């Protein structure tokens, strides 16, 4: 079997905030991909606005550098487990993986998930201990933890023999030994050339697995993947082998390859190359593009099942259609089904209502990113509280269970343990580093994590970090009693005023400011009592009640609690919805009028689920 010695294909694996994107920046800049006077900034690969705002990689991306006459194709993978579907579909393009580990935090649970995927594919590993310039780095402990991780996940003895490097991605240096003075990132590039095997070249006609899709307004749909055998050129005729067994014939329009941030048009590509091709009207991720001479399908990409579901519905509030450009069922259905083409972890199903769709994903963040993306595109809709997806296995009800890892201070251990015990979590490990930094590990049902993040940040004053990873399905542990208080619900439509909000703040915390338009059934605050309270935040003080010309000057409102999208989804109960528009995120009751809610309480057999 032949090899392409002029190419290396490598995937970069790292936990969130371990410096993966910064390391790719250094590799791109020091390999002279850009002009000397070109301004490229930082976090070059995180081109999506949401990625820059949240500081995480969401979408897998391809880039490439030239070093010593060898083209190194770099596949940037997400570090968050909720976007593991992105990892599963691109890891097959690589021959090696670069595992980036923080010199203080060490290997994290989500690193374990992606590394397991890489090892299952038999990829050759290079480990880089990053952020060695930090004062509190503990390199020896991190190396030991990394070795333990490889011992746990390795599928062969060869995978235990990994190359170890040390780097500071922010300074753009890599060295082979800790304590050495680094000058550049070239030791890492040399290691990739030496340790990552070149792609194997199989004999036979053209064959390529589609691992990603893109779209261009002029070129149409663009299929991205690695060529496993043969060659491809513009105007070649190919067959697309789909999941249902159908075969469609197309003529290739253009062929592109990657260099830096550019997609470069080429006249021919061959086995081992990662390319993008146009001219295919109907193609999906996981399809095989093959020569007409021998149309053989490659094994399809295996994607894990979703664990969380929630409903997406047409906005039914009185403010419907005021802020969004896409508000109808047709718009919502088309957008969700278009997302299925590239988001393999997502599932969309129709419900009993023609205006509501059941959407399933890999986690709360996975669905929240979809909601935020649609919101910014001009869509207006409403979503329900997430629920864990249960199954019936051998006649028994089972539910998804996750491993929860928390890095916190010793003073918060008690309150966190109490909170999680109410959510059916089981403590599996607790370690203290001797400096009052504690790592807690729990096994917790997915339903116990819904709404936990906001309470976690409040309890620890934002001074702790939590991470989760899906473990599997276990026997149903029963319902979890909610610990959230009740809410203040607007009883009249109008515009909130200071007088009405001041009265509402006498009963609890408010979520809106004076001048905010409200409608009946909109949630405007919360309180600690057992039942929801209707309040009129639009009520103005009558002139006949004024006793002094200066009596209202001293009225000062407590600043409202403003929810982010993720916090709003975590906060709501099953009888509530989040109204999502390009301009606002509002909380509301499913049943807007007080009379409807009273009748529903009096007739519990009537379901309020949409």
């Amino acid at each position: 079997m032949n090899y392409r010695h002029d190419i290396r294909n490598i995937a970069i694996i790292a936990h969130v905030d371990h410096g993966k994107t910064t390391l790719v920046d250094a590799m791109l800049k020091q390999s002279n991909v850009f002009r000397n006077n070109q301004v490229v900034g930082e976090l070059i690969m995180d081109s999506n606005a949401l990625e820059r705002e949240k500081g995480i990689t969401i979408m897998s991306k391809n880039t490439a550098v030239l070093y010593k006459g060898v083209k190194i194709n770099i596949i940037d993978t997400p570090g968050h487990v909720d976007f593991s579907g992105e990892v599963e579909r691109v890891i097959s393009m690589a021959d090696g993986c670069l595992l980036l580990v923080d010199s203080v935090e060490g290997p994290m649970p989500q690193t374990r998930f992606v590394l397991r995927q890489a090892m299952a594919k038999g990829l050759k590993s290079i480990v880089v201990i990053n952020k060695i310039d930090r004062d509190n780095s503990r390199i020896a402990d991190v190396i030991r933890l990394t070795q333990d991780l490889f011992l746990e996940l390795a599928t062969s003895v060869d995978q235990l023999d990994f190359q170890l490097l040390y780097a500071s991605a922010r300074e753009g240096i890599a060295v082979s030994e800790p304590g050495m003075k680094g000058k550049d990132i070239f030791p890492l590039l040399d290691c990739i050339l030496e340790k990552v095997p070149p792609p194997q070249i199989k004999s036979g006609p053209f064959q390529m697995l589609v691992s990603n899709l893109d779209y261009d307004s002029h070129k149409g749909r663009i299929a991205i993947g690695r060529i496993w055998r043969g060659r491809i050129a513009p105007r070649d005729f190919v067959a697309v082998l789909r999941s249902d067994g159908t075969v469609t014939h197309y003529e290739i329009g253009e062929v592109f390859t990657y260099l830096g941030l550019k997609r470069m048009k080429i006249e021919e590509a061959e086995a081992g190359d990662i390319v993008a091709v146009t001219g295919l009207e109907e193609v999906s991720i996981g399809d095989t593009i093959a020569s007409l001479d021998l149309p053989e399908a490659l094994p399809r990409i295996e994607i894990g099942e979703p664990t969380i579901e929630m409903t997406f519905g047409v906005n039914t509030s009185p403010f419907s259609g005021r802020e969004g450009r896409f508000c109808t069922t047709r718009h919502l259905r088309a957008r969700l089904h278009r997302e299925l083409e590239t988001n393999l972890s997502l599932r969309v199903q129709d419900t009993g209502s023609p205006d509501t769709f059941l959407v399933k994903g890999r986690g709360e963040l996975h669905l929240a990113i979809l909601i935020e993306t649609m919101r910014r595109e001009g869509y207006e809709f409403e979503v329900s509280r997430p629920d864990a997806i249960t199954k019936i296995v051998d006649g028994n009800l089972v539910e998804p269970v996750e491993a929860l890892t928390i890095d916190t201070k010793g003073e918060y251990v008690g309150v966190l343990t109490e909170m999680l015990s109410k959510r059916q979590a089981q403590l599996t490990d607790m370690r203290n580093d001797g400096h009052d930094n504690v790592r807690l590990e729990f096994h917790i049902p997915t339903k116990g994590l819904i709404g936990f993040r906001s309470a976690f940040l409040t309890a620890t004053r934002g001074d702790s970090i939590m991470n989760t990873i899906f473990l599997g399905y276990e026997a149903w542990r029963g319902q979890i009693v909610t610990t959230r208080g009740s809410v203040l619900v607007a009883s009249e439509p109008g515009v909130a005023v200071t007088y009405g909000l001041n009265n509402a703040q006498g009963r609890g915390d408010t979520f809106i400011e004076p001048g905010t338009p409200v409608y009946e059934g909109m949630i405007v605050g919360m309180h600690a009592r057992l039942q929801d309270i209707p309040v009129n935040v639009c009520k103005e003080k009558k002139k006949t009640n004024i006793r002094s010309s200066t009596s209202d000057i001293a009225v000062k409102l407590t600043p409202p609690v403003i929810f982010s999208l993720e916090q709003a989804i975590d906060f709501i109960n099953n009888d509530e919805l989040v109204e999502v528009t390009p301009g606002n995120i509002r909380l509301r009751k499913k049943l807007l009028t007080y009379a409807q809610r009273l009748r529903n309480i009096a007739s519990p057999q009537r379901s309020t689920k949409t």
Side-chain angles (χ1 to χ4, degrees), residues 19 131 230 294 481 496 505:
K131 302 185 182 180
L294 189 61
V481 179
Q505 287 189 349

Side-chain angles (χ1 to χ4, degrees), residues 491-554:
S491 61
E492 300 290 337
V495 177
V497 296
T498 301
Y499 182 74
L501 286 173
N502 187 50
N503 290 336
Q505 287 189 349
R507 301 184 174 188
D509 300 323
T510 54
F511 298 160
I512 60 174
E513 299 174 331
T516 302
V518 300
Y519 53 81
E520 183 181 5
M522 181 172 160
I523 298 173
V524 296
M526 68 174 295
H527 67 104
R529 295 185 182 179
L530 296 178
Q531 293 183 341
D532 298 336
I533 300 178
V535 294
N536 185 4
V537 293
C538 306
K539 182 180 181 180
E540 298 182 356
K541 188 172 184 180
K542 302 299 183 184
K543 291 182 179 180
T544 55
N545 291 338
I546 296 178
R547 297 293 180 263
S548 168
S549 60
T550 60
S551 61
D552 284 347
I553 294 178

Side-chain angles (χ1 to χ4, degrees), residues 107-303:
M108 300 296 285
Q110 294 168 10
T111 307
R112 180 191 310 269
F113 173 83
V114 185
L115 183 61
R116 182 185 291 116
Q117 299 288 327
M119 287 192 165
K121 297 289 184 182
L123 303 188
K124 182 68 176 179
S125 300
I126 298 174
V127 177
V128 178
I129 308 297
N130 192 29
K131 302 185 182 180
I132 57 174
D133 54 325
R134 292 179 64 174
D135 295 335
N136 57 343
S137 63
R138 50 189 190 105
I139 295 176
D141 290 338
V142 170
I143 292 174
R144 177 179 54 80
L145 293 171
T146 305
Q147 290 171 338
D148 292 344
L149 179 62
F150 272 78
L151 279 170
E152 178 184 344
L153 300 180
T155 58
S156 67
V157 177
D158 294 340
Q159 292 177 338
L160 299 176
D161 182 23
F162 56 86
Q163 184 67 36
L164 192 59
L165 293 175
Y166 308 86
S168 172
R170 184 177 60 181
E171 297 180 4
I173 60 171
V175 294
S176 57
E177 297 291 340
M180 290 179 60
K181 186 174 179 61
K183 297 185 298 181
D184 47 44
I185 207 71
F186 295 154
L188 174 57
L189 297 178
D190 288 326
C191 184
I192 292 173
L193 297 189
E194 179 184 352
K195 298 297 182 180
V196 176
Q200 295 180 353
I201 306 302
K202 299 179 180 179
S203 60
F206 173 73
Q207 191 182 41
M208 165 182 160
L209 182 68
V210 179
S211 299
N212 206 348
L213 289 178
D214 201 354
Y215 183 81
D216 185 271
S217 57
H218 298 290
K219 298 179 176 63
R221 187 168 297 187
I222 301 173
I224 303 169
R226 172 177 167 175
I227 302 176
W228 288 97
R229 73 183 187 198
R231 299 169 180 267
I232 189 67
R235 294 176 295 281
D236 282 355
F237 287 92
V238 297
V240 175
L241 290 77
R242 304 178 63 83
S243 59
D244 58 4
T246 59
V247 179
T248 311
H249 295 176
Y250 293 105
E251 181 183 358
I252 295 294
E254 294 176 314
V255 181
F256 298 89
T257 188
Y258 294 88
L259 183 63
L261 304 182
K262 296 180 180 179
R263 192 181 281 161
M264 302 173 59
K265 185 177 179 180
I266 57 176
E267 292 303 317
E268 186 181 62
E270 56 184 300
D273 284 322
I274 294 176
V275 297
V277 297
T278 65
L280 312 174
E281 296 180 9
E282 294 293 334
V283 65
S284 302
I285 294 173
D287 290 350
T288 298
I289 307 173
S291 169
L292 296 180
D293 298 333
L294 189 61
E296 293 180 339
L298 289 162
R300 294 192 67 84
I301 300 170
E302 296 182 3
I303 301 294

Side-chain angles (χ1 to χ4, degrees), residues 474-494:
E474 296 182 5
W476 172 257
R477 302 183 185 179
Q479 292 289 350
I480 295 177
V481 179
T482 180
T483 57
R484 197 205 77 175
S486 298
V487 292
L488 306 177
V489 185
S491 61
E492 300 290 337

Side-chain angles (χ1 to χ4, degrees), residues 275-570:
V275 297
V277 297
T278 65
L280 312 174
E281 296 180 9
E282 294 293 334
V283 65
S284 302
I285 294 173
D287 290 350
T288 298
I289 307 173
S291 169
L292 296 180
D293 298 333
L294 189 61
E296 293 180 339
L298 289 162
R300 294 192 67 84
I301 300 170
E302 296 182 3
I303 301 294
E305 293 297 314
T307 58
I308 290 288
E309 64 182 14
M310 61 195 305
T311 61
F312 284 47
V314 174
N315 187 12
T316 57
S317 84
F319 292 171
S320 174
R322 293 189 182 183
E323 301 171 7
R325 292 189 295 126
F326 309 108
C327 311
T328 67
T329 302
R330 179 175 59 85
H331 287 141
L332 185 59
R333 179 190 297 274
R335 179 61 181 85
L336 290 174
H337 283 275
R338 189 167 73 247
E339 185 71 19
L340 292 175
E341 295 179 0
T342 56
N343 198 336
L344 295 193
S345 301
L346 201 70
R347 304 287 187 273
V348 177
Q349 297 177 3
D350 292 334
T351 65
S353 168
D355 298 331
T356 305
F357 305 92
L358 185 64
V359 181
K360 303 179 180 182
R362 294 292 281 267
E364 283 185 89
L365 184 60
H366 182 208
L367 295 178
I369 291 294
L370 171 61
I371 295 169
E372 181 64 26
T373 301
M374 292 174 60
R375 172 178 176 248
R376 297 187 181 196
E377 292 173 355
Y379 286 84
E380 182 178 309
F381 53 101
E382 58 192 25
V383 298
S384 69
R385 175 181 172 85
D387 284 320
I389 300 174
T390 57
K391 295 181 178 181
I392 300 294
V393 177
D394 297 330
N396 299 316
L397 182 64
V398 296
E399 63 178 339
V401 175
E402 304 187 38
L404 169 66
T405 302
I406 295 176
D407 291 300
T408 186
K409 299 292 185 181
E411 61 182 296
Y412 303 128
V413 171
V415 64
L416 289 175
T417 304
E418 181 181 359
M419 288 170 57
L420 287 166
S421 65
K422 296 178 180 178
R423 294 172 175 266
Q424 301 178 350
Q426 298 175 350
L427 182 65
T428 58
D429 193 15
M430 182 172 68
R431 282 170 282 174
N432 192 315
D433 67 353
H435 301 283
D436 200 35
N437 298 312
V438 182
R439 173 169 289 186
L440 303 170
E441 296 183 5
F442 295 87
H443 286 182
I444 181 171
T446 300
K447 66 175 184 283
L449 289 171
I450 296 174
F452 173 69
R453 188 177 297 272
S454 298
F456 164 77
L457 292 174
T458 302
T460 61
R461 299 178 176 86
D463 194 26
S464 301
I465 301 173
M466 60 172 282
N467 296 285
T468 60
I469 182 171
F470 176 67
L471 291 177
Y473 282 83
E474 296 182 5
W476 172 257
R477 302 183 185 179
Q479 292 289 350
I480 295 177
V481 179
T482 180
T483 57
R484 197 205 77 175
S486 298
V487 292
L488 306 177
V489 185
S491 61
E492 300 290 337
V495 177
V497 296
T498 301
Y499 182 74
L501 286 173
N502 187 50
N503 290 336
Q505 287 189 349
R507 301 184 174 188
D509 300 323
T510 54
F511 298 160
I512 60 174
E513 299 174 331
T516 302
V518 300
Y519 53 81
E520 183 181 5
M522 181 172 160
I523 298 173
V524 296
M526 68 174 295
H527 67 104
R529 295 185 182 179
L530 296 178
Q531 293 183 341
D532 298 336
I533 300 178
V535 294
N536 185 4
V537 293
C538 306
K539 182 180 181 180
E540 298 182 356
K541 188 172 184 180
K542 302 299 183 184
K543 291 182 179 180
T544 55
N545 291 338
I546 296 178
R547 297 293 180 263
S548 168
S549 60
T550 60
S551 61
D552 284 347
I553 294 178
V555 174
K556 291 185 178 180
L557 296 176
T558 304
V561 178
I562 304 297
F563 288 126
S564 67
L565 175 61
E566 291 91 338
Q567 290 171 332
I569 294 171
D570 280 347

